[in-house]
Amino acid sequence: MKNKKMNLVARVQAPTPKWFKVLRNIGVALASVGGIIIASPVAIPVGLVSAAGYLVLGGSIISAVSQTAVKSEEEPEPKIEQTKE
């Protein structure tokens, strides 16, 4: 596998698989919702603010890890042709 010796910048700039793009977007959405709740100008319960902090943390981690996933550059296996006798 070629991707074993990539530095962080090259890994983040490399193409990301589709599933990890979806997961990254979910993480960004979770972090955004948590940030909106934390920055809310109205008085909200302490438990909700704590949960929002965990949303920000979890969403940030999911987004960061998903962004560093890269598509593998392995060669496809050769097809074996069968002959009729």
Side-chain angles (χ1 to χ4, degrees):
M1 189 170 181
K2 253 183 165 178
N3 296 332
K4 285 187 178 182
K5 298 194 180 213
M6 296 177 76
N7 63 10
L8 185 63
V9 174
R11 181 172 284 277
V12 170
Q13 291 176 347
T16 304
K18 184 177 180 183
W19 166 248
F20 287 101
K21 286 181 183 179
V22 171
L23 202 58
R24 180 190 62 204
N25 292 340
I26 291 171
V28 168
L30 287 174
S32 298
V33 168
I36 289 169
I37 293 171
I38 289 172
S40 174
V42 296
I44 51 177
V46 175
L48 188 57
V49 174
S50 296
Y54 289 120
L55 278 177
V56 171
L57 176 66
S60 301
I61 291 171
I62 290 170
S63 299
V65 170
S66 296
Q67 183 61 42
T68 58
V70 294
K71 289 184 180 179
S72 69
E73 297 177 1
E74 296 175 358
E75 294 183 22
E77 296 179 13
K79 294 181 180 178
I80 300 174
E81 295 182 22
Q82 296 179 353
T83 60
K84 293 182 179 179
E85 292 182 21

